Amino acid sequence: MAISRRRFLKGAAGGGALLIASRLPDAGATMSRELPPHAVGILYDATLCVGCKTCMVSCKKENSVPGGALYKKGRSTPPFESSVPGDNMWDAPRELTGKTLNIVKVYKNGTAQVKDREKDGYAFFKQQCLHCISPACASVCPAGAFRKDADTGAVIYLADRCIGCRYCQLACPFGVPRYEWDAAWPEVRKCQLCEHRIKEGKYSACAEICPTGATIFGKVTDLRAEGKRRLALKPGEPYLYPLNRVDSKEKTLRPASRYVKQLYGLEEAGGTQNMLLSGISFDLLGFRKNIARFDLPSLTWAYIAKIPWVFLGVFLGGTAIYKVTHRNDREEKP
């Protein structure tokens, strides 16, 4: 059965409107500011870190399997930073990239002889997604390519919804999301808190492999309590540090270091599920200064929720103009 151009345009317009409308966010919706009751995360204590980088190796390996944050169909090995094709031996990233979700760096000053000292000292520090309680990346994404898991609270990237606008990179106050600039079909990459492992009853690979307890996994409420206990310690005071998990029975006894009196992530950007402790100022470690102590989506949601409506208006307006102009063309024909 033949179909006229007019009926086709009507069907296309109606179908397009339904498709766009089905993906629109609720204009009256707001992102939750509350921590999910079973939220999990990571506590990283830089004073315990020895810079071995086993967490980086384990992260890349465990996230290159199906379900992992670095997995790509057809790729049998983890993505290495080397620019030499087929070079799977050397991997020494200097920053977070589309191939590296978790990185350990070093701070040095002067003679760099004393650990966790700002002058003439050195310190290791870790960077990865902090999994905001109210993530700015999710609030600015017009395609809904980021979601916050209702149970674990992890901020998850949905590649099949991504349109490549990279608004998430601009919005993140911690500068975490990275883009696969060298890929034919690029995606955004960031830590997903090993969501695929959590579903299997496991936990984050970086915490599981850490030999010193510098990175531990657990419920956010327990991690906050652990962080506050450490901040209350006097330098040199013996303390039993848990290994791998905050609730682990395996602990190591060692004297406490001098901590900067800040649990980074407790308040920054409205709070995060991954938090950090350090012996030197976080500013010196490269963390951004003056990050707001409130949830950033409260500034963006009212505007970003209107973007899909603009797309819908442009689509319907363009369809209407096309129909009117072509109707005039037909009327002018003899």
Side-chain angles (χ1 to χ4, degrees), residues 68-310:
L70 288 172
Y71 175 73
K72 273 201 171 183
K73 190 175 181 180
R75 184 165 61 192
S76 58
T77 60
F80 288 86
E81 298 292 345
S82 174
S83 59
V84 180
D87 183 358
N88 294 333
M89 182 176 295
W90 302 106
D91 190 36
R94 300 174 63 89
E95 299 287 344
L96 294 174
T97 70
K99 300 175 182 177
T100 299
L101 313 176
N102 161 45
I103 190 167
V104 173
K105 299 182 180 181
V106 63
Y107 160 87
K108 291 183 179 181
N109 176 269
T111 60
Q113 292 181 336
V114 183
K115 190 175 186 301
D116 300 312
R117 179 185 291 179
E118 293 185 4
K119 185 176 181 181
D120 290 330
Y122 69 97
F124 299 105
F125 61 101
K126 187 173 188 239
Q127 290 182 328
Q128 66 187 102
C129 177
L130 296 184
H131 295 274
C132 299
I133 296 173
S134 296
C137 58
S139 74
V140 302
C141 181
F146 289 89
R147 67 171 175 83
K148 191 164 178 67
D149 188 275
D151 187 37
T152 66
V155 181
I156 307 301
Y157 168 69
L158 307 173
D160 61 330
R161 297 182 67 100
C162 182
I163 59 174
C165 67
R166 301 187 294 282
Y167 285 172
C168 55
Q169 291 186 290
L170 299 175
C172 178
F174 306 106
V176 168
R178 291 296 192 269
Y179 200 62
E180 294 181 309
W181 295 104
D182 58 347
W185 299 99
E187 298 176 3
V188 173
R189 298 297 188 187
K190 70 170 209 66
C191 162
Q192 312 251 47
L193 207 57
C194 286
E195 180 199 31
H196 62 301
R197 288 171 53 86
I198 293 176
K199 290 178 178 178
E200 297 173 351
K202 303 175 184 178
Y203 57 101
S204 296
C206 60
E208 183 182 61
I209 201 70
C210 182
T212 66
T215 300
I216 57 175
F217 177 88
K219 291 187 65 174
V220 176
T221 51
D222 294 338
L223 295 173
R224 286 176 175 177
E226 177 68 19
K228 291 176 181 178
R229 280 194 296 270
R230 295 186 189 185
L231 290 178
L233 294 171
K234 296 179 180 179
E237 181 179 349
Y239 187 74
L240 286 169
Y241 290 88
L243 296 175
N244 309 121
R245 296 183 63 104
V246 68
D247 57 357
S248 174
K249 294 181 179 180
E250 187 178 0
K251 303 177 187 292
T252 177
L253 179 65
R254 59 178 295 165
S257 297
R258 184 184 301 275
Y259 288 103
V260 171
K261 297 302 180 181
Q262 180 183 6
L263 180 56
Y264 193 91
L266 183 62
E267 297 179 344
E268 282 74 13
T272 64
Q273 294 181 205
N274 287 359
M275 294 163 285
L276 304 93
L277 291 169
S278 173
I280 67 174
S281 170
F282 286 98
D283 294 346
L284 295 177
L285 299 181
F287 290 85
R288 294 181 178 178
K289 300 179 181 179
N290 304 320
I291 292 179
R293 286 335 195 234
F294 57 84
D295 59 299
L296 299 180
S298 61
L299 301 177
T300 61
W301 187 255
Y303 300 97
I304 201 68
K306 296 179 174 61
I307 288 181
W309 291 104
V310 174

